[in-house]
Amino acid sequence: MKEKKEKKEKTPMDKAKKKKIVKRCILGGIVVVIALYFGVGSMIAKNTPMAVYTSPVVRDDVEQVLSTSGTVKSEESKTYFADVAVKIGEVDVTEGDNVKKGEKLYSYDAEALAEEKTLAQLKLQSSEGSYESSMIKNNKYISELGEANINLGVLEQQIADSENYVKELNKKIKDKQDALAYEGALLQISLLDWSNDPGSEEYMNLQKLIQLNTYEQQHNSEIEMWQKEVNEYQDKIAAYKEYKAEMKSQKSASESGSLDSGSRNQLIANTQIENMNAEETISSIEVVENGVTADFNGVVTSVSAVEGSTPAVGTQMVTLESTEKVKVEIAVSKYDLEKIALGQDADVTIAGNTYQGVIAKIDGMATTNASGAAVVGVDIQIENPDSSIFLGVEAKVAVHTAFAEQVLVVPIEVINSDKNGDFVYAVENGVLVRKGIVTGISSDIFCEVKEGLQEGDQIVSGSGAYLEEGMAVTAIPMG
């Protein structure tokens, strides 16, 4: 609660003296009117000075108070909405009920609430399990894709190296075969040269060599060894190519099954949304498991909850307005607006009880009231609210707008006004004198005079159409 501003200690005029002055001013006014009514004609005829009552200009404290009325409103309001789509069990309040902080407003059906909580927990488990399974599969695909890429590179190199080696072996085989064939051809030529002497030893040797060459061409050990190695490598190449085909298939399947960055982000986001929704539902259920309670002391102003109904999430259920933070809304006219300022104290009367208030807000724009006049809304915060305050009722308000200490004052009823401004009549040397004045703040009785008078000046108590400047009068002091 805002600390009450300490008012400046006043030293007002003695009450008896103030009462005496006011009484004399009123009496003087009555006497002047009666005298004017019955004797003005004869006085004028006889040129006799009129008798007028006067009172001195004095110093006193003046407090300006703006009295008005407004409507009591709450500064804090909360509308409770359905947190879950579950059947309502009990509604404990009706419109107009006063409730205390922590008091139950309504509750959900316990069995339906438990079922909804179990369902939300299962959804959360399902979402987490589905995500985990998807990520395991994705990681497996990624691993297989990496394996396939590595193996394909190795296999391609192995196939290339093996094929090159087979080419080298085949070249060795061919070179060896060509060499043996060439040697055989030379032996055949030599045998022809000795064909004229078939019985000679040279001829016989050549035939043997030709036979050996023929056998060597068919059964050369190096050729056989190289050919065996060629066969072995061709088998390896075939195996490499078969494994390569498998790796290509594995790569294609892995690429198709694994998640790209966009799909992975979508999976993560969808899982998070599902988890958040389920967790929010569980949290909301846990909050209302023991019923929905008031957050502050207040008055129930609206009840939409119905026992046995199943409201949609977000449906308005109960509205509660605080009685701990209370204000009075008043409307100020353009004539009083300049008197109003933030922080000014106010006395607020509600149902016979008086409370301390302070101006907490002044609207920045005017509205039009029922009479069509422009008014500005002002909020007065009640600093000491209690349980006796009723929302929506009319409150009487007295705003302490200004205070002047020990200034020159005159009773309000002695002030006259015309096109030239405010003035009073004073008596100087038996003659009525018009004195223009500049006024300041005013109370219900007195008005501050800033210019035009001095303390002790005798002013006429009352005013009238028969008083005019220069008139000879007889002053009858009243104080």
Side-chain angles (χ1 to χ4, degrees):
M1 183 181 292
K2 183 177 178 181
E3 185 179 349
K4 185 70 175 177
K5 294 192 295 184
E6 185 176 336
K7 292 184 179 180
K8 196 170 184 180
E9 187 177 351
K10 306 176 184 178
T11 55
M13 178 188 294
D14 181 78
K15 289 184 178 180
K17 183 178 179 182
K18 182 181 293 186
K19 186 175 181 182
K20 182 179 179 182
I21 291 174
V22 173
K23 184 177 180 181
R24 287 180 177 177
C25 287
I26 296 172
L27 180 59
I30 294 172
V31 170
V32 168
V33 171
I34 293 173
L36 288 172
Y37 182 77
F38 290 104
V40 66
S42 60
M43 286 181 180
I44 293 173
K46 298 177 181 179
N47 200 23
T48 303
M50 179 187 296
V52 294
Y53 285 91
T54 62
S55 60
V57 177
V58 297
R59 289 188 179 275
D60 197 3
D61 296 343
V62 180
E63 183 173 28
Q64 182 172 270
V65 177
L66 173 62
S67 298
T68 184
S69 62
T71 304
V72 180
K73 297 287 185 70
S74 176
E75 286 192 283
E76 181 178 12
S77 175
K78 179 174 180 178
T79 297
Y80 295 81
F81 298 92
D83 299 287
V84 290
V86 175
K87 184 172 72 173
I88 299 298
E90 295 180 352
V91 179
D92 300 272
V93 295
T94 58
E95 291 184 9
D97 284 354
N98 281 291
V99 297
K100 298 292 184 182
K101 180 179 180 180
E103 189 173 337
K104 190 165 67 172
L105 302 175
Y106 63 94
S107 59
Y108 293 92
D109 181 80
E111 184 177 347
L113 206 59
E115 291 177 357
E116 187 70 16
K117 184 176 182 180
T118 300
L119 180 60
Q121 290 171 336
L122 291 174
K123 286 182 179 179
L124 181 61
Q125 293 175 4
S126 174
S127 174
E128 291 175 344
S130 177
Y131 173 75
E132 185 177 354
S133 175
S134 296
M135 292 308 296
I136 289 173
K137 289 181 181 178
N138 184 60
N139 291 336
K140 180 184 177 208
Y141 283 131
I142 291 174
S143 176
E144 290 178 350
L145 179 60
E147 179 187 30
N149 285 330
I150 292 173
N151 287 343
L152 283 172
V154 173
L155 287 169
E156 287 175 356
Q157 186 63 48
Q158 288 177 331
I159 290 171
D161 292 343
S162 296
E163 287 178 343
N164 289 333
Y165 187 59
V166 167
K167 287 180 181 179
E168 292 177 2
L169 290 175
N170 285 329
K171 185 176 184 305
K172 287 181 179 181
I173 291 172
K174 187 176 184 305
D175 289 344
K176 187 67 175 178
Q177 289 174 340
D178 289 345
L180 290 173
Y182 181 72
E183 182 181 353
L186 291 177
L187 289 172
Q188 288 291 342
I189 293 171
S190 297
L191 183 63
L192 289 174
D193 290 340
W194 291 94
S195 60
N196 296 324
D197 189 7
S200 65
E201 183 178 354
E202 286 81 0
Y203 186 83
M204 296 298 294
N205 287 335
L206 284 170
Q207 283 186 326
K208 290 178 181 180
L209 290 174
I210 288 172
Q211 290 177 352
L212 287 173
N213 177 263
T214 301
Y215 179 84
E216 190 69 19
Q217 287 188 45
Q218 295 175 354
H219 302 286
N220 182 266
S221 61
E222 285 185 321
I223 291 175
E224 289 179 346
M225 180 186 68
W226 291 334
Q227 188 62 52
K228 181 180 179 181
E229 196 170 0
V230 166
N231 294 337
E232 290 176 352
Y233 268 88
Q234 285 178 337
D235 290 340
K236 285 183 180 182
I237 290 170
Y240 289 154
K241 288 183 176 180
E242 183 179 356
Y243 191 34
K244 180 181 177 181
E246 290 179 7
M247 288 298 99
K248 281 186 175 181
S249 177
Q250 178 174 312
K251 178 180 179 181
S252 177
S254 298
E255 288 177 338
S256 176
S258 63
L259 300 173
D260 57 29
S261 60
S263 299
R264 186 173 183 276
N265 289 338
Q266 184 179 17
L267 173 65
I268 293 173
N270 288 339
T271 303
Q272 287 178 341
I273 291 172
E274 291 174 0
N275 289 351
M276 287 173 64
N277 289 337
E279 289 171 354
E280 184 177 353
T281 300
I282 294 171
S283 177
S284 298
I285 291 173
E286 289 175 347
V287 169
V288 301
E289 280 178 327
N290 296 319
V292 177
T293 58
D295 290 337
F296 45 77
N297 297 339
V299 175
V300 177
T301 57
S302 173
V303 178
S304 301
V306 178
E307 292 183 4
S309 66
T310 302
V313 175
T315 301
Q316 181 175 321
M317 305 295 283
V318 173
T319 299
L320 179 65
E321 295 192 21
S322 173
T323 53
E324 296 176 332
K325 297 180 180 179
V326 184
K327 65 182 178 179
V328 176
E329 294 181 352
I330 64 174
V332 178
S333 69
K334 62 181 180 180
Y335 304 105
D336 292 324
L337 185 58
E338 63 181 14
K339 302 174 185 177
I340 296 295
L342 292 174
Q344 288 176 337
D345 294 325
D347 298 324
V348 179
T349 302
I350 304 172
N353 298 314
T354 301
Y355 303 89
Q356 286 75 52
V358 63
I359 292 182
K361 177 187 175 185
I362 301 174
D363 290 348
M365 65 176 292
T367 57
T368 303
N369 63 13
S371 301
V375 293
V376 174
V378 176
D379 289 351
I380 298 175
Q381 184 183 63
I382 297 178
E383 297 184 306
N384 57 334
D386 58 26
S387 57
S388 299
I389 291 180
F390 296 90
L391 300 179
V393 300
E394 184 180 51
K396 294 180 180 179
V397 178
V399 182
H400 301 278
T401 58
F403 177 76
E405 186 176 12
Q406 292 300 299
V407 294
L408 294 178
V409 297
V410 297
I412 291 178
E413 63 268 16
V414 307
I415 299 175
N416 301 273
S417 297
D418 61 14
K419 63 180 182 180
N420 296 317
D422 297 329
F423 67 94
V424 297
Y425 286 113
V427 178
E428 294 181 358
N429 300 319
V431 176
L432 206 60
V433 178
R434 182 188 188 279
K435 286 185 174 285
I437 61 173
V438 176
T439 60
I441 65 173
S442 61
S443 65
D444 293 338
I445 301 173
F446 292 108
C447 180
E448 176 189 6
V449 177
K450 292 185 174 183
E451 296 179 15
L453 297 176
Q454 295 182 357
E455 187 175 2
D457 284 351
Q458 292 292 324
I459 57 174
V460 175
S461 300
S463 60
Y466 295 101
L467 296 177
E468 58 181 52
E469 188 174 18
M471 180 184 292
V473 296
T474 300
I476 303 176
M478 297 179 63

